[in-house]
Structures are given as structure tokens and as C-alpha cells.
Amino acid sequence: MNNDLVINATESEIVLALLEDKQLVEIHKEKRNQHFCVGDIYLGKVKKIMPALNAAFVDVGYEKDAFLHYQDLGPQFSSLHKYVQTAIDNPKNSQPLQSISLMPEINKKGKISEQLSSGQRVVVQISKEPISTKGPRLTSEISIAGRNLVLLPFSDKVSVSQKIKSKEERERLRQLIQSIKPKNYGIIVRTEAQNRRVAVLDGEIKSLVEKWETACRVMAGGVPPKLLAGEMDATSTILRDTLNNSFNSVVVNDPAIYHEAKTFICNIAPEKEKIVKLDTDKVSVFDRYFNINKQIKTLFGKTVTFKNGAYLIMEHTEALFVIDVNSGNRASNVDQEANALEVNLAAADEIARQLRLRDIGGIIVVDFIDMHKNENKKALYDKMREIMAADRTKHNILPLSKFCLMQITRQRVRPEMKMSTMETCPCCGGTGEITSTLLLEDEIEDTLKNILTQNNIKKKLILRVNPIVAAYLKKGIFSLRLKWMLKYKVIIKIFADSDYGFIKYDFCDSEGNALNNY
């Protein structure tokens, strides 16, 4: 499997598209003025205790107070709280975490009021971004992720990813980490750590411990809410979690992000440095590479076609996400049961892709085409589990019910990715009326004339228009474009832009600056 990452940066946002075998599987949007917050560690202040919910609301600086449930305090919350109080009130007496003795674990079935009180300062980490009317979800089980390892302060456990199939390799990594990890730090060994040498893993542990100790120094004398340690931006996070030998390219259209990505890759995988490419072409990178814009328009609608006329209907309700599988007008010479199995298996591929692409979370119900044979239902269930294994988000899949319904739960940490595929008519702005197209040719020529008069006669101009208009202007040996060039003694280069409406056009100089206002 070949992976590619394409990053399209504009003035207002950064959009990241992850592709597997040239097929779009994930898309992430990050506003320029918004921070990527899952994983951020805060010093917060308890605002309100909710005994009925066995939870508390904590102020971490968001408009809505964040939610912290008792089960998310973690077994070593007492040790964390004592350590935090010392670090804040008596920073000079603060000791490294390795040198302290951990307190007994808290009661798993205890009450929130036994551990927290209003006004108390508490160190928390954001586990879920604000969604709809809800504030962020918090945890006090702090984890600091690296490329190969995840560091867990106030723990002594070592866990190894089950995706590492070799028992010998899992045991090697477990013993290796046990021998080099500091006291009072737990470690989760990620799949990427497979076959890594001890020097690489030891260096990463030290850098993660330093990040935690830096956060502890920041909290000294701190007044909540206060950010102690921020998660990396979306670009670095995707590279950290997905970069492997299957990556072919990372294409970026912004010089600053290009240098950041290249520096990050040099630090974690120097051998992959050359895959980072800077694209400065005036045409959008989402148009130039893998037809990403076209894939987005195709995949984010209510109806998604996937094979030989078969399609999915996708509906989002308040309680759950519903997907209906339809065979459409698909013609087949096989019997109904075999046809249903074939369509359902193809649908499973597209459904797994859609869950990742739209980042759908919560409860998902899939209404597959009815099948009667149990072996076919099991084959479909096994196929869905196999495909979903590539999904990094925690999920659970239940076998098909009597009515061929499949229930899937998928962890939701961010709002669902929504991208509108319906557009207001760019020609009429929704009014239903446009200027006669018969006048468009004359209007463009009049604009050209005015530009040449008012801008000290440019030697080269770029005209951006709808692809249909571009074809019309360049049609024939003596095209309109050629006639204008000879008449006004100026070079005109025409760019076809699919984002432009039928009667929209722009004249630009050679640097891409718009020259007309109409």
C-alpha cells in the first residue's frame, strides 16, 4: 500500500488529505487561528461538582467548562494531585517523579467528591474536542505520545501493541523497555517501534520525560487555567502517527509548513527527508495531485456510489449515523443471495473508508442488503473487521442481526468532518438570473482594454475562467485569445479553474495579483 499526504494551505485554513493507493481516506481541516487541542495538557480549576453524574466541570479556558468523569481520573490520581500541589506551591522542594513514592490507587467505584472540590487546581489532558454545545472531555491519566512510544507518568506498566504479530519481538521490546524506562513512568510501545534499536527508544523516552518535566516547571506558581504542554499541530501529528516506509510523498504548497514538515521528518525518520516536496504552482495542489477536489465532491454527498451502480445513502441523526446499502440498477446474472453478498462486501470497503474520511463517531448503524445464509453474514462481518483494522480510532463492530443490520461504535474525539458538496450557483448567486452569455465575450474584452489603459500596459496577463469558457476562448486556429493578443499586443495565458462560475473571470498579472474588480 502506497501512502501520500497533500497539504493545501490558504490564508484562513490548512487542509490535509491522506491518500492510500491514490484513494482519499482521511481529510483534516485546521483553522489558522485555532489550535489543535486533543492531547493538550492544562492546569485547570474545578468549577462545579456534579454528584449525580459522578463528575466535575473544570475551567481550562474554553467558552464551555470541560467535563471530567470520575472514571477518567486514573488510578494514580492521588499521587498526581500531591505532586501537582508541591510543584505549584513549593517549586524549590519539587523532586523528579522518579524519586517519589507513589500513593495507593484510588477506589475504582469511589465518588468524585472524595477526590475533588470546587476551586481545586487539577492537571488534566483534553481527550475530546468541544462538539456542538458540549465543552471538551478531560482525563487526568496523562499520556505523552511519541513516534514509537507513549509515556504515562505515575505508572509502572509496560504494554506492547498487539499489532506487532511476532511474540519474540513483543517480548524483546517489553524487556528492553523495562530495562531502560525511569521509575514511576509507564510506557506503551507503539507498532512503529518494531525492530527499533535500543538507542532510538532510549532517546525517545528521554525526550518525552523532558516534555513532562518542562510542563511541571511551567505549572510552578501557575494560576489556572494555564496551558502546560501543547500537542503538535495536525500536520506533525499525522506524520508522527502514519509515516512509514509506504509513504511516497508529502506535498505542501506553503513554504513555512514545508520547512516545518521537513524538519520534523528529519528528526523522526531522516531517510524519508526527500519525500517532502514544495509545490508553488498557481493551480491548487488539490487539483494537480490525485484529483483530490473531485474525490471530495464525489465522496461527501448524501449519496455515495461505489461499484457498478450500487450506492450508499448516509444520514446523520441526533442519536446515531445511519448508512443504507442499495444495489441500484445493477444488473447481475447470479442469484439474489450471491448478488447481495457481492454488493455488501464492496459496500464494506466504502463504508470503512467513509468512517475514516468523515471521522464519524458514536453509534453507526449499517443496513446491508438482506442475506439469509449465516456463512454469508459471517463472511461480511469478518471482511468489515479486517478492513477496519487499519482505522487508528478505537472502534467496536457487532455481528449482523437477524435483519442484516450491523452496529458499529467508533470513538469520537473531534466534530464530524463536514464538507458541503452543494454550492450556491456562482453565476446568479441564487437569484436564478444571470447576465446574457452573449455579452460575456464583449465584457471580457472591455475589461482587458481598461486594464491595459490603467496599468501602464502589461506585457503578460493571466485570464482565469471556467473550463468551458476557456475552451471557447482557445477554440480554433484564429481563436479569440489570439485575436486579442494581436489586437492589444499583449501575451494572454488562459487558466481553466473549475472553482469559477460560468460567467466569472479574473485578469491577473504574472505574480497572480487580480487586476479587475467587477
Side-chain angles (χ1 to χ4, degrees):
M1 183 178 293
N2 296 319
N3 290 356
D4 297 275
L5 180 66
V6 182
I7 303 172
N8 183 33
T10 64
E11 291 182 2
S12 59
E13 65 182 8
I14 301 170
V15 185
L16 303 97
L18 180 64
L19 300 100
E20 292 179 355
D21 293 331
K22 300 182 181 180
Q23 297 292 309
L24 186 63
V25 293
E26 290 184 27
I27 192 159
H28 302 265
K29 295 178 77 171
E30 187 179 33
K31 296 290 184 184
R32 288 275 194 176
N33 58 353
Q34 289 183 354
H35 181 64
F36 186 71
C37 68
V38 171
D40 287 354
I41 302 172
Y42 281 89
L43 176 64
K45 182 178 181 181
V46 178
K47 296 296 290 292
K48 192 175 183 180
I49 302 294
M50 303 294 290
L53 299 175
N54 204 19
F57 286 103
V58 181
D59 179 15
V60 291
Y62 283 76
E63 183 180 352
K64 297 275 187 180
D65 287 337
F67 183 81
L68 177 63
H69 193 272
Y70 182 85
Q71 297 296 328
D72 295 320
L73 292 178
Q76 291 294 339
F77 180 76
S78 298
S79 300
L80 171 65
H81 178 58
K82 182 180 178 182
Y83 189 79
V84 167
Q85 294 306 312
T86 303
I88 295 173
D89 299 329
N90 300 297
K92 292 183 179 178
N93 296 330
S94 175
Q95 296 177 301
L97 182 56
Q98 301 95 300
S99 61
I100 69 170
S101 298
L102 297 181
M103 298 176 68
E105 295 184 358
I106 64 173
N107 183 2
K108 290 182 180 180
K109 297 182 180 180
K111 302 295 183 184
I112 193 75
S113 55
E114 297 170 358
Q115 302 296 333
L116 296 176
S117 58
S118 293
Q120 181 176 328
R121 294 170 295 187
V122 59
V123 169
V124 289
Q125 187 170 31
I126 294 181
S127 59
K128 185 187 292 186
E129 286 186 359
I131 296 175
S132 185
T133 59
K134 300 176 182 177
R137 180 77 182 250
L138 302 177
T139 177
S140 280
E141 286 191 274
I142 307 300
S143 62
I144 303 173
R147 176 162 168 76
N148 303 295
L149 309 168
V150 179
L151 183 74
L152 306 173
F154 303 97
S155 173
D156 263 322
K157 296 179 181 178
V158 174
S159 303
V160 181
S161 170
Q162 292 299 313
K163 291 183 180 180
I164 299 176
K165 301 302 181 185
S166 169
K167 291 183 179 179
E168 293 78 11
E169 178 62 10
R170 285 207 304 272
E171 187 58 32
R172 180 189 79 88
L173 288 168
R174 183 177 286 105
Q175 292 181 3
L176 190 156
I177 295 300
Q178 284 283 14
S179 66
I180 62 175
K181 79 173 187 65
K183 182 184 175 185
N184 296 336
Y185 286 102
I187 299 288
I188 297 174
V189 181
R190 307 181 73 169
T191 311
E192 194 60 34
Q194 189 169 354
N195 300 321
R196 296 288 185 189
R197 294 190 299 176
V198 62
V200 174
L201 301 178
D202 185 53
E204 185 164 311
I205 289 176
K206 288 177 180 175
S207 67
L208 294 175
V209 169
E210 175 58 29
K211 186 174 181 179
W212 165 251
E213 291 179 345
T214 300
C216 293
R217 289 193 290 270
V218 171
M219 77 174 75
V223 178
K226 186 175 185 180
L227 178 65
L228 303 179
E231 178 59 288
M232 296 183 294
D233 57 63
T235 305
S236 299
T237 301
I238 289 177
L239 289 173
R240 180 193 68 195
D241 292 344
T242 63
L243 184 68
N244 53 40
N245 291 331
S246 67
F247 256 80
N248 283 339
S249 64
V250 177
V251 182
V252 190
N253 68 343
D254 181 274
I257 298 175
Y258 164 76
H259 290 299
E260 288 175 10
K262 194 160 188 174
T263 301
F264 182 75
I265 288 180
C266 284
N267 290 334
I268 65 170
E271 71 281 2
K272 306 292 287 184
E273 177 188 357
K274 293 181 180 178
I275 69 172
V276 187
K277 304 170 186 175
L278 177 64
D279 186 293
T280 55
D281 198 284
K282 294 181 177 64
V283 179
S284 168
V285 288
F286 279 7
D287 283 328
R288 277 169 52 79
Y289 295 89
F290 312 111
N291 283 323
I292 294 174
N293 272 332
K294 184 177 181 180
Q295 290 196 54
I296 289 172
K297 295 293 184 184
T298 304
L299 295 169
F300 274 90
K302 177 181 175 181
T303 302
V304 179
T305 58
F306 59 92
K307 187 178 182 182
N308 297 336
Y311 61 94
L312 307 175
I313 300 291
M314 312 192 70
E315 290 279 4
H316 193 181
T317 72
E318 186 67 27
L320 45 80
F321 200 100
V322 182
I323 302 175
D324 183 34
V325 180
N326 294 276
S327 59
N329 56 4
R330 186 175 184 276
S332 176
N333 296 323
V334 296
D335 64 87
Q336 193 275 336
E337 181 80 6
N339 182 59
L341 177 61
E342 184 181 347
V343 174
N344 285 339
L345 291 175
D349 281 309
E350 187 58 39
I351 289 166
R353 179 186 181 189
Q354 286 287 333
L355 297 185
R356 290 178 65 188
L357 186 61
R358 303 187 188 210
D359 203 9
I360 298 169
I363 301 172
I364 301 116
V365 177
V366 185
D367 182 8
F368 284 103
I369 299 172
D370 285 346
M371 298 185 297
H372 303 290
K373 295 181 179 178
N374 288 331
E375 58 266 32
N376 289 343
K377 291 183 178 181
K378 185 176 186 304
L380 177 57
Y381 172 64
D382 292 341
K383 175 72 179 293
M384 182 61 80
R385 289 189 63 188
E386 178 188 343
I387 300 167
M388 290 286 287
D391 192 341
R392 301 190 308 276
T393 303
K394 291 180 182 178
H395 59 270
N396 187 35
I397 305 170
L398 297 182
L400 276 78
S401 71
K402 176 182 177 181
F403 303 107
C404 228
L405 298 175
M406 178 179 286
Q407 297 175 66
I408 302 171
T409 60
R410 190 171 182 272
Q411 186 181 35
R412 178 186 293 165
V413 296
R414 296 183 190 90
E416 176 197 340
M417 174 60 64
K418 294 180 180 178
M419 300 190 76
S420 177
T421 57
M422 306 298 290
E423 301 173 357
T424 301
C425 174
C427 299
C428 68
T431 64
E433 296 179 343
I434 64 170
T435 306
S436 172
T437 53
L438 295 173
L439 304 176
L440 181 61
E441 175 187 327
D442 294 334
E443 186 181 332
I444 294 175
E445 185 174 359
D446 287 342
T447 303
L448 171 62
K449 214 182 308 182
N450 291 333
I451 288 172
L452 295 174
T453 303
Q454 297 172 11
N455 290 274
N456 301 320
I457 306 182
K458 302 289 182 180
K459 296 296 182 185
K460 182 179 179 181
L461 292 175
I462 296 171
L463 175 59
R464 306 184 82 96
V465 290
N466 181 278
I468 297 173
V469 178
Y472 173 73
L473 295 177
K474 294 189 286 188
K475 180 182 178 183
I477 299 174
F478 294 104
S479 63
L480 276 172
R481 168 178 168 267
L482 181 59
K483 290 176 183 177
W484 289 342
M485 288 171 62
L486 294 173
K487 182 177 179 179
Y488 297 106
K489 295 180 174 56
V490 63
I491 298 172
I492 302 174
K493 190 173 182 179
I494 296 179
F495 272 109
D497 194 324
S498 58
D499 288 337
Y500 275 53
F502 191 68
I503 63 169
K504 181 181 178 182
Y505 62 91
D506 272 320
F507 277 103
C508 306
D509 60 22
S510 56
E511 296 178 354
N513 301 311
L515 300 173
N516 60 300
N517 238 337
Y518 57 91

